[in-house]
DNA sequence: GTGTGTGCCTAACTGGGTTAGGCAACCTGT
DNA sequence: ACAGGTTGCCTAACCCAGTTAGGCACACAC
């Protein structure tokens, strides 16, 4: 019997493809093994268990997302940077729904530490450089941006905007305009 | 053997409790039956299957959330209404994490139609009455609010703000200030 | 007290996740 | 070219969740 040449890397990448096709939750070891033409038990030489596999996919997705965001922000500032950053995020979610769902998978502290989480935080702050906010407003703004992007994309993916006009793209543009305007005039403190 | 007096209603309410205690995903028919001192198969006289049970919990949560939001918005306007609405949403999520997760459960169109979805949409628009935005800006603003609240609460629940200062409450307040200010000066169009 | 309906049961099956242990394909050195 | 060890993938087995079919007995209606 020919060896399939599995590695942890292979499994995680194939798992990510699978997640994009059938959904992150449905990307089980059993289904993955089926796709790879291999018995389920064979996966367990390369990943500890199902959770481990999912964690691997999540880490891959976070890395890819950070790569794209980083590419988007490079050489841009102000609203340009904000828009490019936001679009990188949303486009990734639309092109890779399974991976994006994975990126929201709850990581245990150990996995979280080895994740691209820190890069994401840095990138958000880089976007805000053009707006010149003092601490702690900058942290609040980072959290606002994270909330809006994650919330919008989550709702869009769940079909929340599908059955009402205008379409999601239009709202997305308007919301980015609004955020830009907000960041330029962030209220000092009430 | 004494009858347990199960009904669909009982199961859904017990399921909601269970979800709050151990998580929505973990609130399985098996575990629910254990809690109720009943065999798993016995549940199937009252709910069609596991998905049906989860849908029931989701509908309950959406109803409860709409009740709270409605109560919060009544008799308030402008920033008052915005804050009360937002807090109702967030407080519910903090007090009932399982139910809140259920509220984000993907419903099939039939269930969605019978859900409190329409009430939620109405309530968002009611909050915005005080800000007097023309269409289509109002729709964009509704979607922005939905995105921010759902995103923030989602990130907070996932522990996204737990390991950095300042604490989530402070950012929440700042973000509501910022949103109020944004809504009062929403950019006409670029 | 008897009959009837139905609530919860037992039994059995499907399918996913996981572990233990074995066989054979590959690599390494001669 | 071949013998050694290594290791990749296998078979076999088990557990646990979800689900269905069918039966017993409790509770109410008379």
């Amino acid at each position: 019997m020919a060896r399939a040449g599995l590695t942890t890397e292979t499994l995680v990448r194939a798992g990510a493809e699978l997640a994009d096709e059938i959904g992150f939750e449905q990307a089980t070891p059993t289904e993955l093994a089926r796709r790879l033409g291999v018995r389920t038990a064979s996966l367990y030489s390369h990943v500890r268990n199902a959770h481990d596999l999912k964690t691997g996919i999540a880490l891959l997705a976070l890395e890819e997302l950070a790569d794209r965001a980083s590419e988007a922000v490079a050489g841009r500032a102000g609203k340009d940077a904000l828009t490019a950053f936001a679009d990188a995020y949303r486009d990734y979610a639309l092109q890779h729904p399974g991976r994006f769902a994975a990126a929201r998978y709850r990581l245990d502290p150990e996995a979280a530490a080895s994740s691209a989480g820190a890069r994401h935080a840095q990138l958000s702050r880089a976007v805000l450089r053009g707006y010149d906010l003092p601490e702690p407003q900058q942290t609040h703004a980072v959290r606002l941006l994270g909330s809006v992007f994650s919330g919008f994309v989550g709702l869009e993916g769940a079909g929340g905007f599908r059955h009402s006009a205008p379409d999601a793209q239009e709202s997305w543009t308007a919301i980015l305009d609004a955020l830009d305007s907000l960041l330029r005039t962030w209220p000092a403190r009430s």
Side-chain angles (χ1 to χ4, degrees), chain A:
Chain A
M1 187 139 299
R3 299 199 178 184
L6 304 181
T7 65
T8 303
E9 174 87 10
T10 317
L11 294 188
V12 168
R13 302 209 93 90
E17 300 287 340
L18 186 57
D20 283 337
E21 286 175 39
I22 64 173
F24 182 58
E25 288 309 319
Q26 281 65 51
T28 68
T30 300
E31 185 57 29
L32 180 57
R34 246 195 289 274
R35 297 289 183 106
L36 294 170
V38 138
R39 295 300 169 135
T40 306
S42 306
L43 306 184
Y44 287 81
S45 312
H46 308 282
V47 293
R48 265 204 306 281
N49 50 37
H51 175 253
D52 197 40
L53 174 64
K54 292 194 168 189
T55 298
I57 299 174
L59 293 176
L60 172 66
L62 287 169
E63 209 70 55
E64 287 183 350
L65 240 183
D67 288 347
R68 290 202 181 196
S70 162
E71 214 275 324
V73 169
R76 293 192 229 261
K79 189 179 177 187
D80 251 23
L82 176 68
T83 304
F85 180 76
D87 281 337
Y89 198 80
R90 176 162 173 257
D91 291 347
Y92 187 79
L94 293 176
Q95 289 164 24
H96 299 293
R99 284 156 146 100
F100 183 74
R104 319 201 64 191
Y105 187 60
R106 187 78 121 115
L107 297 175
D108 27 66
E110 157 203 28
S114 78
S115 80
R119 284 178 72 202
H120 285 274
Q122 267 180 276
L123 285 165
S124 297
R125 293 198 123 83
V127 167
L128 290 179
R129 252 200 287 278
Y131 294 99
D132 203 31
L133 293 172
E135 283 296 354
Q137 303 305 328
Q138 191 180 332
T139 299
H140 300 325
V142 166
R143 290 172 175 184
L144 172 61
L145 291 185
S147 299
V148 175
F149 299 161
S150 134
F152 188 96
V153 170
L155 292 175
E156 183 178 17
F161 305 144
R162 203 131 61 210
H163 298 303
S164 57
D167 66 33
Q169 177 59 50
E170 206 173 311
S171 289
W172 180 248
T173 307
I175 286 173
L176 290 180
D177 284 348
L179 285 177
D180 170 61
S181 149
L182 170 61
L183 290 171
R184 279 190 278 100
T185 63
W186 189 279
R189 185 71 203 98
S190 58

